Amino acid sequence: MFTKTEILTLLQGCDDDNLFKQAHAATLEQFSGQVFMRGIIEFSNQCRNDCHYCGLRTSNREVNRYRLNHQQILSAAESAQQQGMGTIVLQSGDDFRFRVQDIEQLIIEIKQQFNLAITLSLGDRSLAELNCWRAAGADRYLLKMETFNQALFHQCRPKKQFDQRLAKIKQLQDLGYQTGSGIIVNLPGMSLDMLADDIISLSQLQLDMLACGPFVAHPQTPYADEPNGNVLLSHRVSAILRLLNPGANIPATSALDALQQGAREQALLRGANVVMPSFTPEQIFADYNIYPGKNTSTAKLADRVSTIKSAISAIGLSPSSTRGDACRKNYVNNDR
């Protein structure tokens, strides 16, 4: 739909009013004003990786590390169902202490007890593990690239293999997962030219979920002194992604609100159609601190969810408790 030159022009803000209007119209056409609610359960902040942008990096000794047990995760899933979530997102760092059988049993029990769609965001796992979890009933998998520029990828994700991670996305699609990936806008070292290429590369994968949020500098990382990303630029990216991928699910990320209050709701009028309130238990809620401003609310869970729903309604949209599948194609419902 857009050439790279046209994308670069849009990224520079030459036609914001028209871009955002078209993106919102495309979102309304696909999703009829529904905003899909996903309850995210960040069940471990242990991570073996040392990514330069992330506060959970293994070299950060100032993190209060935790792992939820099986029953705590199930309790969080029950809360998500009670609060009107149609999907839960099981997310962790790359924490291999959770074995394939541990995650498999969680998937089976969540499906049996709560009948929720399940998105996994567990990092680089083996094909055998991914196949097992899909067979157990997992519906979606999110594996973010952060950037498709290989030099920048290796700069911010030391010792990780670009080609292997990209190939894993294709494997997830072949296994039948609704598959997602994403990028960080204004990642240190990223030019507008690189960002335009990232938008093209992300769209060429024909994914079901597309994530794009602004970079937020964390004080306990090598990027502590780098400038934060630009919220307006991030909105432009989500709008362009919507027009290139009309039926994909695009979240309004918490990183937006970490930089500018109200920016998440604004994103819902500029191409995004998903919000993901955290259902991580309140006593460790703030310890999933991948960037400053994430999980900092002191309000009770029910109040936080109510506030989000009210904010969605206030901009003329409808918070939805449905599964919220992408509109790219017809999917096999994995409810069991």
Side-chain angles (χ1 to χ4, degrees), residues 230-297:
N230 184 287
V231 167
L232 182 57
L233 180 61
S234 187
H235 284 164
R236 290 173 187 147
V237 173
S238 62
I240 295 168
L241 286 172
R242 169 60 63 210
L243 294 174
L244 291 173
N245 307 268
N249 280 315
I250 301 177
T253 67
S254 56
L256 292 165
D257 264 7
L259 295 182
Q260 182 180 307
Q261 191 65 33
R264 183 167 58 175
E265 287 75 30
Q266 200 172 28
L268 295 172
L269 300 173
R270 296 176 171 181
N273 69 307
V274 173
V275 294
M276 299 192 294
S278 176
F279 282 77
T280 303
E282 292 173 3
Q283 63 268 28
I284 52 150
F285 175 69
D287 291 327
Y288 201 82
N289 184 230
I290 56 178
Y291 49 76
K294 178 173 174 58
N295 291 5
T296 56
S297 173

Side-chain angles (χ1 to χ4, degrees), residues 68-210:
L68 298 185
N69 62 36
H70 186 89
Q71 189 54 50
Q72 287 174 313
I73 298 171
L74 288 180
S75 295
E78 182 177 20
S79 294
Q81 182 200 47
Q82 292 172 345
Q83 293 293 327
M85 304 296 111
T87 289
I88 60 163
V89 182
L90 297 179
Q91 180 169 293
S92 71
D94 277 29
D95 182 1
F96 290 3
R97 283 281 294 276
F98 283 89
R99 300 166 302 167
V100 59
Q101 298 90 347
D102 298 327
I103 303 300
E104 179 188 28
Q105 191 60 34
L106 279 168
I107 294 166
I108 291 170
E109 292 187 35
I110 289 168
K111 285 288 184 176
Q112 289 175 343
Q113 295 182 37
F114 311 120
N115 196 31
L116 293 164
I118 297 175
T119 299
L120 301 177
S121 181
L122 308 180
D124 285 308
R125 294 296 193 132
S126 71
L127 181 59
E129 288 172 306
L130 297 172
N131 190 40
C132 174
W133 299 335
R134 174 64 182 153
D139 301 274
R140 311 183 185 108
Y141 203 102
L142 176 64
L143 189 68
K144 293 181 67 178
M145 290 297 295
E146 316 303 5
T147 178
F148 290 83
N149 182 281
Q150 292 196 44
L152 191 58
F153 178 94
H154 291 299
Q155 177 182 310
C156 70
R157 294 179 60 87
K159 301 181 181 178
K160 303 305 292 184
Q161 298 300 314
F162 177 90
D163 290 338
Q164 290 180 10
R165 195 167 178 91
L166 190 57
K168 189 66 61 68
I169 293 174
K170 175 60 176 171
Q171 290 174 346
L172 288 162
Q173 291 175 306
D174 290 344
L175 289 173
Y177 283 97
Q178 294 181 47
T179 305
S181 190
I183 57 177
I184 297 176
V185 177
N186 291 131
L187 190 65
M190 177 182 283
S191 65
L192 274 188
D193 191 78
M194 291 178 188
L195 181 55
D197 284 336
D198 278 356
I199 291 170
I200 293 168
S201 295
L202 191 58
S203 298
Q204 286 175 340
L205 291 173
Q206 297 189 335
L207 297 167
D208 309 295
M209 302 176 284
L210 305 171

Side-chain angles (χ1 to χ4, degrees), residues 11-38:
L11 290 175
Q12 292 167 24
C14 296
D15 196 11
D16 278 350
D17 288 345
N18 189 47
L19 171 63
F20 295 147
K21 181 179 179 181
Q22 287 189 42
H24 187 48
T27 310
L28 290 175
E29 181 179 353
Q30 292 291 330
F31 301 105
S32 304
Q34 295 182 94
V35 175
F36 299 137
M37 305 289 291
R38 320 282 207 216

